[in-house]
Amino acid sequence: MVSRSTHDHKPLIYEVRGGVGESPVRPDGTLKVKGEFAYASDLWLDDALFGVTLRSPHPRARITGIDISGALEIPGVYAVLTHADVPGTKHYGLDHSDQPVLAIDEVRYEGEPVAVLAATDPHTARRAVGRIVVSYEELEPLTDARQAVFDSSVPPIHPDGNVVRNQPIRHGDPDTATAEVVVTAEYEVGMQDQAFLGPESGLAVPAADGGVDLYIATQWLHVDRSQIAACLGLPEEKVRLTLAGVGGAFGAREDLSMQVHACLLALHTGRPVRMMYGREESFFGHVHRHPAWMRYEHGATRDGKLVYVKATIVLDGGAYASTTKAVVGNAASLGAGPYEVPHVSIDAYGARTNNPPCGAMRGFGAVQACFGYESQMDALAEKLGLDPVEFRARNAVSQGSYLPTGQVIDSPAPLAEMLRKAAATPMPAARSTMELGELPGGYGNTTHGEGVRRGVGFGVGIKNICFSEGFDDYSTATVRLELVAGEPVATVHTAAAEVGQGLVTLQGQIVRTELGVEAVTIRPADTSVGSAGSTSASRQSYMSGGAVKAACEAVRAQVATLVGRAEPDIQLTGGKVVSATTGVVADLADVLADGAVEETAVFRHRPTVPLDPFTGQGDSHVQLALCVHRAIVDVDVELGLVKVVELAAVQDVGRIMNRESLEGQIHGGTAQGLGLALMEEIQVTDGRIRNPSFTDYLIPTILDMPPMRLEILEYADPHAPYGLRGAGEPPTLSSTPAIVAAVRAATGLPLRRIPIRPEHITQQ
Amino acid sequence: MRVELIVNGTERFADDVWPGESLLFTLRERLGLPGTKNACEQGECGSCTVLLDGLPVCACLVAAPQAAGRDVVTVEGLAVEDQLDPVQEAFVETGAVQCGFCTPGLVVMVADLIRRTPTANDAEVREALAGNLCRCTGYEKILDAVRLAAARVAS
C-alpha cells in the first residue's frame, strides 16, 4: 500500500496480514485435519432418536394404502409419519411447490419419500421401516423427456403439464439466414451426480416454544427455512436453522432433502431426531444434473465467421420442477456460447418426467449447452479447415459484444487472449517410458503402448454469475468491532453457507483489509441474521463478500464519526484510525473503549430482468465468466480407454482474492468436468437408477486426474466488489468439451454423447 | 456383545455391539469418535481409513468384532495434543482441505504412506491414494500436501 500522507507512515507499516489477495490458512482447516470439525452427520444428543425414510420402489405408481401398524409394534419405534401428518402445506419446491413432503396419492419417481420413522437407534429404525406396508398400483412411467415436451398425446404427470418452461431466443433474422458452410448434429449429456462426500444429514431439536431448531448441511439456510416453516405450519421465527459442517454441495443441497422430515419427527415425538443418509439413499435423496438432448445447426462463412446458430435443447427435469425453470434460462441464454453470432434461434425446454428429479449442479444448464456448442465449433473448424483455436478466436466475444439475448457484455471478456494463452501453454513432454501407470488402463496392464493415440483439444465455457432474470438476489452481513482484552477484534455474522469453497477464509480477509484488524472471528452461519442467499451460481464471493465489505464500510464510517472525522478518506489500519491527508487520527482501541461498533449491511447486485418469454431478449445476467481449457489425452483405440495426460486452464477472475482457494476451485471444477466427459453417469433405465453406489457411479480418483496448469487473469469487473468475478463454475463447463475434443482428435470419431464410454470408441 | 480394543493407545470397550456391525459404526456411534467419516460404506471412498494393527483399512469393511483386542489408530490419534502431525499441517497449509470430508481418511493414509515410503514419487503417491476419493480439490493440492509433508519428515 502506498500512503498519500506526508505524515508519519508508521501505522501503515503495521498493515495486517491475511487480507484480500493473500492466501491465509482456512480457519476451519485445523479442525478438519484433526477430525474434530462437526459435520451434520457427526451431531449427537444423548436422547436423540434416529430417523429413516421409506421410499417408493416404483418410478410411477398410485398409492392405494399405507399400513404402518407393523412398524409401530416394534419396540423402540417412536413415530411413523405419512403425508397425513404434515401439518402445513404438503408440497414444497424452490421455484414451484410441486413436490410432496411425503407422497400423497401417487409416487412419481423411484425413491420418492412415502413415510418417515423415528426409533431409538439406526438398526431398529431400519428394521422397522421394512414393516411399513404400502400398496401400490403401478403406472406406466413417462421417461422420455422429448416425448414429454413434444408429444401432446402423452397424459401430463402433473396437473399443470409436463413442460416446466419453454424459453425461445430470437436474435437477428434466423429464419432467413443462410450460410456457406453448415454443420448439424445431435448431442446427448448423461445424468451427472454431484457426489459430494458427506451424505445428507441433520439434527432437529424440538424447542420449548413449540418451534424447532435444525442443525443442517445446506446451501441456503433461509430458503430452507421458508419451505420448512410452511410445511410445518409454523411461523418462520419458530424454525431456527444453524449451518452444520457441510461435506461438499455442488448444487445438490439447494433443494430440501430430509429437513422437513427430521423436523416433523422431532415435533411429533418431542425428542431430538437425527437423520443421516447412506450413499445409496443419497443417490435417491437429492436432485442431479439435468440430462440433455440437443440438436444444433451452425452456419458460417468460408472465411470462418459464424452466421447463425439454431438449436433445440431439451432438459429432463425428472419428477418435480426443482430449479428446472432457471436451468432452462441458462441453457437458452448461453446456448450459443461466448461467440458473436448475427442470427440465433434457440428453443430450450425443461420437462417433467418420471425420471429422478434434476436441479442444480455446478454449471447449471450452461454445462449441457457448452458441450453442444463447443462440439459444433470443432466440427465447423474441421469442415472449414481452420485451427479450432483460431476459429474460436475469430468469433470470440469481447467487451461490448452482444449476447443473443441482446445483453451487452459490459465488462472485460478477453476470450481471444485466453484462447491464445491456452494454445501457447507449453506441451507436456512426449511419453518417454512404457510406465504402465501412465498408459490408458494403468496398472490394469491392458496395453504396453500399442494402439495408443494422443489427442489435443480445446474447450471454452461462459457462465452467468449470481442469480439472473430479475431475481431479488441479496446478501446480509453484520460486522462488529470491539475490544477484547484491550485489542480490537472484528466479528462477522452471515447466514452464508461454507460448503468447502473457503468463504469463511475470504470473509476474514475482507475484514482485515477493510478494518485493519488482524483478529477476526467468523460466527456460525444461522438464521438469526438476514439471508445471505444461496451458495451457488458462483455468487458468494461477490454477494456475501460484497455484504461483508459494505458492513465494514459502515463500521468504518461510524468510527470516523466517533473521532469527529466523518470523511471518506478515513481508513483503519494496524489498529489505528488514519486519514489519508493528515495521518494517524486516533488509536482504534481508544475509540472502541466506550463500546462496540456494529453495523449490518444488505448487498444487492445491479438489477436484472427476466427474458422475454417469446423472444428471449433482456439483460438477464449480472456478470459473465469465461474459462478455456486445453486437454491432452492418450486413447487406447483398441480398448476404448482414455488417459487424460494434462489439463491446462486459463480463467479470468477479475481479481484474485485468495489464490490458493481459487486454484482449488479451478482444479476441483475441472475434475468434475473430466468426470462428465469420461466417467460419470447415473444410468437410468425405465425410470430406475441402476448404479446408486460409488462402486458403479465412478468419480475421478487421483489416478484419473492429470497434472493441471493454470493461468489466471485479472481483468477487473468495474461493477463487482474488488473487481472480482465468480470463479467456481466456469472450469466445470470448459474441461468437458476440451477432453472430448482431444479424444475426437485421437480417434477421429464424432463422439456426440457424454460421458464417453469405451464402447463408443471401439464400436464405431 | 462386548468388543474390547485399543483405540489411539487407550483401551476401550463397546457394549451391545451387533455381530455384523462395522468398526466404523462402533467408532462413530459407540466410542464417540466421529472423525472417521462415513461416505460410502462399501470401501470405495477411503473416507473411513484407519490403521488396524498398523495397516490402513476401510473401517466400514471391518466387522467390529474382528477388531477385538487389536490396535486401532483413527484421525483423532494423529495429533499429539495441539501438535499436528506433519501430514495434517501440510494439508492445512497447502489448501488440500476444502470441504474436508475426505480429509480424515486421507491424512491417515498419507501418514502411513510417508512412514513406509518416505521418498515416494508422484506416481507412487497416486497409486497409494487411488482408494481415497476427493470431490473438491481435483487432487492437485493433495499432491502438494504429500510432497510438503514428505519433505518435512525427511528433513
Side-chain angles (χ1 to χ4, degrees), chain A residues 39 274 663 680 695 700, chain B residues 29 42 98-99 135 139 141:
Chain A
Y39 294 90
R274 61 193 187 110
E663 289 177 351
E680 296 185 34
T695 303
Chain B
E29 299 282 332
Q42 52 182 216
Q98 286 190 33
C99 92
R135 191 56 160 167
Y139 304 102
K141 294 196 181 292

Side-chain angles (χ1 to χ4, degrees), chain B residues 119-143:
Chain B
T119 57
N121 62 29
D122 280 2
E124 290 166 323
V125 172
R126 287 183 189 271
E127 192 61 26
L129 301 185
N132 290 79
L133 296 177
C134 170
R135 191 56 160 167
C136 296
T137 66
Y139 304 102
E140 284 286 271
K141 294 196 181 292
I142 290 171
L143 282 163

Side-chain angles (χ1 to χ4, degrees), chain A residues 30-48:
Chain A
T30 298
L31 286 174
K32 285 179 173 177
V33 296
K34 292 176 82 175
E36 293 174 359
F37 185 75
Y39 294 90
S41 51
D42 301 334
L43 303 180
W44 176 265
L45 284 172
D46 273 344
D47 57 344

Side-chain angles (χ1 to χ4, degrees), chain A residues 194-329:
Chain A
Q194 299 86 348
F196 50 53
L197 281 196
E200 294 85 344
S201 304
L203 172 69
V205 185
D209 66 352
V212 62
D213 291 281
L214 178 65
Y215 301 84
I216 183 73
T218 182
Q219 291 176 228
W220 188 356
L221 290 165
H222 284 76
V223 84
D224 277 13
R225 177 168 75 165
S226 59
Q227 294 174 90
I228 297 165
C231 295
L232 297 177
L234 288 172
E236 288 199 2
E237 63 270 19
K238 289 202 172 181
V239 179
R240 294 161 293 259
L241 272 64
T242 301
L243 188 71
V246 183
F250 317 116
R253 299 188 206 269
E254 203 161 60
D255 291 76
L256 296 180
S257 57
M258 40 56 67
Q259 283 90 330
V260 181
H261 300 158
C263 292
L264 278 175
L265 289 167
L267 290 168
H268 197 87
T269 60
R271 296 267 295 263
V273 171
R274 61 193 187 110
M275 293 184 80
M276 183 166 60
Y277 292 177
R279 180 55 52 188
E280 180 173 348
E281 185 170 22
S282 180
F283 273 97
F284 294 99
H286 62 249
V287 299
H288 314 289
R289 188 191 298 291
H290 290 68
W293 174 90
M294 303 177 283
R295 182 184 183 280
Y296 267 93
E297 178 182 330
H298 275 57
T301 62
R302 271 191 224 293
D303 59 353
K305 288 291 283 183
L306 287 170
V307 176
Y308 69 83
V309 172
K310 299 177 187 177
T312 304
I313 300 171
V314 178
L315 298 153
D316 186 352
Y320 295 104
S322 178
T323 49
T324 292
K325 196 176 149 205
V327 169
V328 169

Side-chain angles (χ1 to χ4, degrees), chain A residues 696-739:
Chain A
D696 297 313
Y697 183 91
L698 304 180
I699 68 174
T701 71
I702 197 168
L703 282 174
D704 299 306
M705 285 309 298
M708 292 181 252
R709 295 176 193 255
L710 309 185
E711 180 149 358
I712 300 170
L713 308 183
E714 293 183 278
Y715 287 97
D717 178 348
H719 309 286
Y722 300 106
L724 73 81
R725 202 176 284 286
E729 291 170 290
T732 304
L733 273 64
S734 48
S735 66
T736 304
I739 291 164

